[in-house]
Amino acid sequence: LKNYAETNNLIFEKYDFYGSGSNFEEEARKARYKFFEEVINKYKASYLFLGHHLDDLLETLLMKMVRGVSLSNLPSLNSMEDRINYKLIRPLTSFTKEEIVDYLDKHNLKYFIDKSNQDNRYTRNRYRNLIIPYLLEENKNVRDNFKTYNEDLYLVNDYLDEKVNSVYKEAYKDNNLNLKLLKDKHPLIRKMVIKKFLSNYLMEDDNKLNKNNFNDILKICNTFKGSQEVVLNKNRIVIREYDKLYFKDDNYFKYDKIKIINRLEFLNFIFILDEEDESDDNYILRLNSKDITLPLYLKLIDDNDYLKLKDLGTKKGIDIFKENKILRKDYYKYPLIIDSKGEVLMIIGLKKA
């Protein structure tokens, strides 16, 4: 190849890959496309032409179907794809390998055969050399039939993407997925919206969503009662709390006890000492200085906080959050006001003692 390129005044670039193991073919594919993009960037190219043909398309579809990939990942080897900074074009996917070789022979054009294509240790080669010949015996048009099937799959997915994106835009807010809005949607749309939400958070290869995890998450989304979680790995935990689905984040907003002075701006609150205002709601606290121990403080709720309720004894603060279906990750938005003895006077926006 190098000699051919030099003889014909063509640019030649090569990449040596030394992968191994059971996932060799997938590793090689990723390395190959990474190399292509490096060459594209090096020469500031706008197009990448690949030589995939109709036989490659059939092989790829069969392998994906046997692996059980999702509907959205089944379409393969599109004739044109828009990438971030270039277009990927496959101009030969309508032609079989046999047709291409016949054309090259007829016009005395030089070509090269990869001898590893006959090595049946590789999955693709077993499909190519052992399985597809039997399919062609059953139906000589199997390649064209799969091409039509593949084109229809792209159209189906385009339609579903429009539906899913529209529902997702409505259901996703503040890093939560609102499951109640999905309740009456078609099961496939509901499933795809949940998968889109999960996939957006699992972009790295080491965080890919496996089928067992996904099925477990679908199960916990069938009810809106209480809280359930699915552990994906040591770094990722998916939580369904009431009708919201979200990822656990150990970096939730936290703060230490804060002293309240005559005027304090904190989060979305402005605390003002006003002896004249006579209005009353869950954002206004009226106090008699004889009944409390100053100064007052703001703090986050914890399991040891109790609120004294008029004629109702005491109530655990956490239970008030649960009754109002406040997500644990949003607890910080409802700080407690306590006095210097730790007496809870108010859960801002929820309840007063």
Side-chain angles (χ1 to χ4, degrees), residues 54 57-58 60-62 64 71 73-79 81 90 93 143-157:
L54 191 51
L57 176 58
L58 175 55
T60 303
L61 272 175
L62 284 173
K64 283 186 174 183
L71 178 64
N73 290 321
L74 190 54
S76 307
L77 305 183
N78 202 355
S79 58
E81 297 177 14
R90 298 183 179 95
T93 51
R143 288 172 294 206
D144 289 324
N145 292 342
F146 266 73
K147 183 175 185 295
T148 300
Y149 174 57
N150 191 58
E151 291 168 349
D152 287 344
L153 282 172
Y154 273 112
L155 292 175
V156 168
N157 273 293

Side-chain angles (χ1 to χ4, degrees), residues 11 22 82 149 175 192 202 216 219 224 229 314 321 343:
I11 294 172
S22 59
D82 287 319
Y149 174 57
N175 298 324
M192 292 182 72
L202 302 173
D216 288 342
K219 288 177 184 177
F224 299 156
E229 63 181 43
T314 60
F321 278 74
E343 193 82 22

Side-chain angles (χ1 to χ4, degrees), residues 22-26 59 62-64 66-67 119-131:
S22 59
N23 207 25
F24 172 82
E25 290 173 277
E26 178 63 16
E59 294 161 11
L62 284 173
M63 288 192 295
K64 283 186 174 183
V66 171
R67 287 205 311 269
D119 188 344
N120 288 338
R121 290 179 299 172
Y122 300 120
T123 303
R124 181 176 288 273
N125 290 349
R126 292 196 294 275
Y127 279 82
R128 176 183 298 140
N129 301 324
L130 303 177
I131 297 174

